[in-house]
Amino acid sequence: MTDLMAASRKARAVLDEIERAVVGKRDALTLVLAAILAGGHVLLEDFPGLGKTLAARSFAQTLGLEFRRAQFTPDLLPADLTGSFIYDQGEARFEFRPGPLFTGLLLADEINRTPPKTQAALLEAMQERQVTVEGETFVLDPPFHVIATANPVEYEGTYPLPEAQLDRFLLRVGFGYPDSEEEWEVLRRRLERQQEEQTLAQVVSREELLGIQAAVESVTVDPDIGRYCVALAAATRKHQHTLVGSSPRGGLALMLVARGYAVIDGRDFVVPEDVKAVAVPALAHRLTIRPELWMTDISGRSVVETVLGQVPAPTARDRV
């Protein structure tokens, strides 16, 4: 319990520090941090200029992770991410030079602008925590996290992410536009600091983050909560508006992120409200809506919200 309470304090301190740079997005930032504490990757899908890149860089600074950014373009090759073997004339041998995937936190900017072959190279790193170059495998040191960004309105010249790769993202999160007061606060802070760059303090070290992630693994999940996660994922497969529902990985994502969410909230056990809080970002991107409904307002989000209202949540139990 002590380790989890310390982890909770550290997690909230990370969010407080990030809010110095990213204004008014505490709920979305909490979801991203919960996914990182659960050991996963996050897709930030939103309009340009809403702080996606800033948020990724801020997480790297506060979590003490090495940060690299890869700008995904149509001409990006797999070797541009993984690295490649370079011939060393002095040593008369090939030497491997690692690419940007060898880092703590990778920002995959505009991930849907690069061809499937390069996306596949990223997929191996995300799922297997390793890269393969010319038949040789290189393991990525933990922690390794990908925060990818995508623009939901510009589709010309893009390569939509296949369902298999979307499924590898623990969460898909959107920031949304700030209200007028939050937007003015962005401007005010920029005037106050008199420079574009903003550097945040490191709150935890790489080793401390690994310790927090290990502590999250000890969070208690009641079997009824686990079955609730399974029921929500299964309900999306039976919904009349879905062509393809969530895979079992969706239910697993619900449980894993809910544990991270509980730790941030200061608890060593998961409650149904944790699952509900992460359900839309954990499940909506795993659903394929029926083609005949694509021109309607029906979306993965609306299906998950409907399912949340239909699947009964476990009743509260007294805890000793």
Side-chain angles (χ1 to χ4, degrees):
M1 184 70 173
T2 303
D3 288 343
L4 282 170
M5 292 304 98
S8 178
R9 288 192 297 271
K10 286 287 188 180
R12 289 197 290 267
V14 166
L15 292 174
D16 292 341
E17 183 65 16
I18 292 176
E19 279 197 307
R20 291 181 51 228
V22 183
V23 178
K25 302 300 175 188
R26 181 81 176 203
D27 291 344
L29 294 173
T30 300
L31 289 170
V32 175
L33 181 57
I36 291 175
L37 296 186
H41 313 289
V42 179
L43 176 63
L44 298 180
E45 187 174 272
D46 219 324
F47 301 108
L50 296 183
K52 302 185 295 294
T53 301
L54 176 62
R57 185 181 296 110
S58 298
F59 272 106
Q61 290 176 350
T62 55
L63 296 174
L65 298 176
E66 182 183 357
F67 175 75
R68 293 195 182 182
R69 173 181 176 175
Q71 185 66 46
F72 280 50
T73 56
D75 60 348
L76 192 74
L77 299 175
D80 296 328
L81 289 179
T82 62
S84 58
F85 285 94
I86 305 296
Y87 187 71
D88 186 335
Q89 290 185 336
E91 297 290 333
R93 63 182 177 86
F94 284 94
E95 176 184 306
F96 179 71
R97 294 190 180 177
L101 278 176
F102 291 81
T103 188
L105 192 151
L106 173 72
L107 171 61
D109 212 5
E110 295 187 288
I111 187 175
N112 57 336
R113 291 199 176 278
T114 201
K117 188 174 183 179
T118 304
Q119 292 177 2
L122 179 64
L123 179 61
E124 180 189 7
M126 291 171 57
Q127 183 65 23
E128 308 297 336
R129 299 300 204 275
Q130 66 181 33
V131 297
T132 302
V133 181
E134 297 184 17
E136 189 168 344
T137 298
F138 300 88
V139 177
L140 300 174
D141 293 331
F144 170 71
H145 299 281
V146 173
I147 294 182
T149 69
N151 186 336
V153 292
E154 291 184 23
Y155 294 108
E156 185 175 351
T158 64
Y159 303 84
L161 294 180
E163 284 72 15
Q165 187 159 347
L166 279 173
D167 211 27
R168 262 56 175 197
F169 286 101
L170 212 53
L171 297 182
R172 181 178 65 182
V173 179
F175 284 164
Y177 284 105
D179 61 33
S180 57
E181 286 302 315
E182 292 168 347
E183 196 163 356
W184 160 240
E185 182 65 15
V186 173
L187 274 59
R188 188 194 67 77
R189 292 185 186 185
R190 173 61 180 83
L191 292 172
E192 188 177 78
R193 67 177 180 268
Q194 299 184 350
Q195 62 179 15
E196 186 63 34
E197 295 77 17
Q198 183 165 350
T199 303
L200 301 181
Q202 178 179 324
V203 178
V204 300
S205 65
R206 172 181 171 276
E207 290 72 23
E208 286 176 318
L209 175 59
L210 289 172
I212 294 173
Q213 291 175 333
V216 170
E217 290 292 335
S218 66
V219 171
T220 300
V221 180
D222 189 276
D224 287 344
I225 299 289
R227 292 184 181 277
Y228 181 50
C229 295
V230 171
L232 288 173
T236 66
R237 298 194 284 270
K238 302 173 184 175
H239 197 280
Q240 60 180 339
H241 293 155
T242 57
L243 182 65
V244 180
S246 170
S247 69
R249 190 181 281 118
L252 181 62
L254 275 177
M255 185 186 70
L256 295 178
V257 182
R259 291 194 308 184
Y261 199 87
V263 168
I264 296 172
D265 203 38
R267 284 176 283 103
D268 66 342
F269 58 91
V270 174
V271 296
E273 286 68 26
D274 297 325
V275 178
K276 294 177 182 179
V278 305
V280 170
L283 293 179
H285 63 291
R286 305 175 194 273
L287 312 183
T288 301
I289 303 302
R290 292 187 177 278
E292 62 268 24
L293 302 174
W294 287 350
M295 297 300 289
T296 69
D297 292 334
I298 295 170
S299 63
R301 168 181 283 272
S302 66
V303 170
V304 175
E305 289 173 344
T306 301
V307 164
L308 283 172
Q310 294 174 341
V311 177
T315 56
R317 294 182 176 182
D318 294 333
R319 294 179 180 273
V320 179

